[in-house]
Amino acid sequence: MRCMIRILAICIAGAAMMAGCNLARTKLPANTVEAGETRARLQASPPPATATLGALIREVSERTATPAPSELPPSRCDELDVDRPARQVDADVIINYQAKSARVVQAIEFHNREAQPLGEIMLDVQANQWEAGFRLIELTVNDEIAEFELDLNRLKVKLDAPLETGCRLALDLEFDLQPAEIRAGLRSYRGFFGYSPRQLNLGHFLPTVAARLDGGWRIHEPIGIGEQVVYDVADWRVNVSVNEAADTLVLAAPGKVRQNGAAIWNVELLNSRDFAISLSEEWRAAELRIADDVRVEVYAFADAQIYANGVRLDGADHVLKEAEKALALYNRQFAPYQRERFVIVQGDFPDGMEFTGMVFVGGAWFTTFDGGPRNYLTLISVHEIAHQWWYAQVGNDSALNPWLDEALATYSEYLFIEEFYPAFKNWWWTFRVAGFFPQGKVDSEVYEFSTARAYINAVYLRGVQMLHNLRVDIGDEAFFDMLRAYLSAGAGLIADPTLFWRQLPPELRALTQATRLEYLRNDDDSALFGLPEPDAATPDSED
């Protein structure tokens, strides 16, 4: 792995520096003196005389790293390899747990599968939207220093020569991360890239080559309402090393995880839209093996167990059992879950957040658990589980078409209640939907809203009303056939609403017209179903 060759040169000095620095947000022009001087200082820094850090270096140097993809051929061009994603990401992440900071050396291999050459590469750098969150030290393309422009979450890399169709390039980055403390307010909802006194969350923290849609790079301006990420799939191989942490430190991560020593892990997550990890010295882990050799794991804190009226209530155990039910239902109704593990993490931030193979569920829902299914701990858990289909399997543009994952995930909550707690169906509709008196058009963009409540009402809640009416319009069999067809057609892709609506058989479209007119802004059949525009009427003959 290219990353591992360079990691030993920086890990001692990087760990020492991160323990005390307050990193400033930077926007570096290409080939700056600061970047070169910083790297020279790091390489020249003497190693600190600490047994802990010395043990870390020995572990990193002596143990076998996760196998890296084969080296690029000299020409860097070959036949299109459709058996693996166009994006291959390898990274070495050295974390100072006390400072809640990290030094990262990352290698990205990108294979151009577009029909035209690319004169530039755009990286999506979500961590840079936060003050001091991301500090780029060095960037190279094919081992040569490259010109770039870093603007908020967009890192544009200029290429000396266009990257031809079928050709690959190697991008190498070295950077520092400094997540912010999770506090109250809107920023707390982004706690998946943040820390609390007992937890460090790194979600959307590794730059990735942006998605290509309609012949362009798709990166949206981040705002505080909803989500704006648009990710294509990639293979992720990440080595995680942690210093300045207690022996009780636990890593929560999706995919295949191998521990290679004290606080050293290799994580491999293939064909995934994202990569996220979380660490804590205080977790209590529980797991349950379910059908088809899928293992569910829950990482929760001691406060997930509460006592009410002399009865012990265990929110983590409840989530574990409800997850087993939800996965079984969604496997049957939608498509098989595609991974061997599913990880649920109690997050010290509100609500929840989905990632491929791993989700966060807000800690408040654990500490207010009342012992039954009629609560947000149940609903948010199964909602985030549903995103393993509506996001992880079939993707979408979460800024322009957010209903494609959020409305479907919310309606999946109802399917769960309908299946396992049918007596509570009316409760769900009142508690989750009707009580908020939702208004708005389902096919709205996130940028159209000034409050999160208005966004949720239109996209999530009006979205489930639309989906339920659609189900009534065409019947259960046709409705679930449509969902399965959408998953099959969009698997591994970034779908748009046209792909969804085209799964509705032509003979049933008339039955759904009233529903579409009520809930959608754009209900034109030509646009909605991707039909050709009708020809102009031919004048009647005077013969």
Side-chain angles (χ1 to χ4, degrees):
M1 178 183 292
R2 295 193 301 274
C3 297
M4 187 59 73
I5 295 173
R6 301 170 61 196
I7 198 70
L8 293 176
I10 67 167
C11 59
I12 297 176
M17 180 191 70
M18 288 186 292
C21 67
N22 182 13
L23 302 180
R25 182 181 181 185
T26 58
K27 296 195 176 185
L28 301 176
N31 306 327
T32 61
V33 175
E34 181 183 358
E37 289 180 347
T38 301
R39 181 164 175 78
R41 288 196 300 270
L42 290 172
Q43 292 175 332
S45 299
T50 63
T52 302
L53 202 49
L56 171 63
I57 302 309
R58 287 194 297 275
E59 292 285 357
V60 173
S61 61
E62 293 174 359
R63 295 187 180 275
T64 303
T66 303
S70 58
E71 291 298 319
L72 298 178
S75 66
R76 300 186 186 274
C77 297
D78 54 20
E79 295 295 326
L80 292 179
D81 183 359
V82 297
D83 293 331
R84 66 174 189 165
R87 295 155 178 80
Q88 302 288 314
V89 180
D90 296 90
D92 291 294
V93 182
I94 295 182
I95 297 171
N96 185 307
Y97 190 75
Q98 288 300 314
K100 300 298 189 289
S101 57
R103 169 62 54 86
V104 180
V105 176
Q106 180 177 344
I108 302 174
E109 177 189 314
F110 175 66
H111 196 164
N112 181 16
R113 298 180 183 174
E114 297 289 301
Q116 69 272 359
L118 299 175
E120 63 185 27
I121 301 296
M122 191 73 73
L123 298 182
D124 189 319
V125 189
Q126 289 294 311
N128 196 56
Q129 67 180 283
W130 309 115
E131 189 70 28
F134 177 86
R135 180 173 180 270
L136 182 60
I137 298 171
E138 185 176 276
L139 184 149
T140 64
V141 175
N142 296 336
D143 298 322
E144 299 290 336
I145 296 294
E147 293 186 5
F148 62 86
E149 297 175 5
L150 179 57
D151 181 17
L152 203 60
N153 57 335
R154 301 167 65 90
L155 176 55
K156 182 167 67 174
V157 182
K158 300 177 181 179
L159 303 181
D160 291 336
L163 181 64
E164 300 291 338
T165 298
C167 294
R168 295 180 286 169
L169 57 71
L171 296 121
D172 290 274
L173 303 92
E174 186 177 324
F175 55 91
D176 289 330
L177 295 171
Q178 185 64 70
E181 183 178 4
I182 302 170
R183 297 180 179 176
L186 188 60
R187 176 66 179 87
S188 66
Y189 287 84
R190 296 294 193 267
F192 52 82
F193 182 71
Y195 69 88
S196 68
R198 61 182 183 176
Q199 181 180 60
L200 172 62
N201 301 322
L202 295 176
H204 296 324
F205 73 106
L206 293 176
T208 184
V209 176
R212 294 279 301 178
L213 293 173
D214 300 324
W217 302 104
R218 186 68 62 88
I219 304 180
H220 292 298
E221 177 184 357
I223 60 171
I225 296 174
E227 299 162 32
Q228 296 81 49
V229 297
V230 188
Y231 285 158
D232 215 330
V233 295
D235 286 344
W236 309 80
R237 298 173 180 86
V238 180
N239 300 312
V240 180
S241 303
V242 185
N243 60 74
E244 301 297 326
D247 293 339
T248 56
L249 183 74
V250 173
L251 170 73
K256 296 180 179 179
V257 180
R258 179 179 64 188
Q259 186 161 5
N260 281 343
I264 297 178
W265 297 268
N266 305 133
V267 184
E268 182 181 69
L269 184 64
L270 304 182
N271 203 37
S272 169
R273 297 193 184 276
D274 51 50
F275 184 86
I277 60 175
S278 184
L279 299 115
S280 177
E281 299 168 332
E282 301 182 30
W283 270 328
R284 299 179 177 184
E287 67 176 60
L288 180 66
R289 185 170 292 279
I290 63 176
D292 301 323
D293 295 327
V294 175
R295 188 169 73 249
V296 180
E297 301 170 20
V298 175
Y299 295 83
F301 297 108
D303 59 13
Q305 295 182 1
I306 61 175
Y307 289 85
N309 299 320
V311 178
R312 173 178 170 272
L313 303 176
D314 190 333
D317 183 67
H318 175 75
V319 167
L320 199 62
K321 293 175 180 177
E322 300 301 82
E324 179 184 20
K325 297 175 186 175
L327 286 166
L329 173 64
Y330 301 154
N331 276 339
R332 185 175 72 252
Q333 289 284 36
F334 305 151
Y337 178 65
Q338 297 181 334
R339 303 186 184 276
E340 297 177 358
R341 298 171 61 241
F342 180 69
V343 177
I344 302 172
V345 176
Q346 179 181 347
D348 277 341
F349 59 93
D351 286 345
M353 183 63 190
E354 71 276 6
F355 293 92
T356 306
M358 185 175 93
V359 301
F360 290 93
V361 176
W365 307 138
F366 285 87
T367 57
T368 58
F369 176 54
D370 60 6
R374 294 192 294 178
N375 48 65
Y376 276 118
L377 180 61
T378 303
L379 299 184
I380 298 302
S381 295
V382 300
H383 178 105
E384 303 305 340
I385 291 170
H387 275 304
Q388 300 306 300
W389 286 264
W390 318 120
Y391 164 73
Q393 286 197 35
V394 55
N396 60 286
D397 187 320
S398 61
L400 304 186
N401 305 306
W403 75 268
L404 279 177
D405 65 298
E406 294 298 356
L408 283 162
T410 308
Y411 191 64
S412 298
E413 297 175 28
Y414 174 70
L415 298 179
F416 175 86
I417 294 295
E418 182 181 52
E419 176 73 12
F420 298 108
Y421 303 102
F424 299 148
K425 290 191 298 182
N426 289 339
W427 165 84
W428 185 89
W429 280 108
T430 301
F431 177 79
R432 196 71 164 111
V433 183
F436 294 99
F437 303 98
Q439 298 180 3
K441 292 297 185 180
V442 174
D443 53 345
S444 300
E445 302 176 5
V446 296
Y447 300 106
E448 298 177 43
F449 300 96
S450 58
T451 67
R453 183 73 261 167
Y455 162 69
I456 292 170
N457 282 355
V459 172
Y460 290 57
L461 307 189
R462 291 271 290 170
V464 301
Q465 291 174 329
M466 180 187 75
L467 290 169
H468 192 69
N469 286 4
L470 181 66
R471 178 181 173 186
V472 172
D473 290 340
I474 63 177
D476 281 10
E477 182 177 358
F479 177 75
F480 289 110
D481 283 347
M482 180 181 178
L483 295 187
R484 286 187 284 268
Y486 173 60
L487 273 165
S488 178
L493 304 178
I494 300 171
D496 61 17
T498 296
L499 185 65
F500 177 86
W501 291 110
R502 288 180 67 177
Q503 309 313 311
L504 182 64
E507 63 273 16
L508 298 179
R509 290 173 184 171
L511 299 177
T512 69
Q513 185 176 21
T515 294
R516 291 184 280 112
L517 284 171
E518 179 179 357
Y519 290 97
L520 298 178
R521 175 188 295 109
N522 183 2
D523 60 352
D524 177 73
D525 283 3
S526 296
L528 208 59
F529 298 107
L531 302 176
E533 294 291 340
D535 294 333
T538 302
D540 293 335
S541 172
E542 296 182 355
D543 292 342

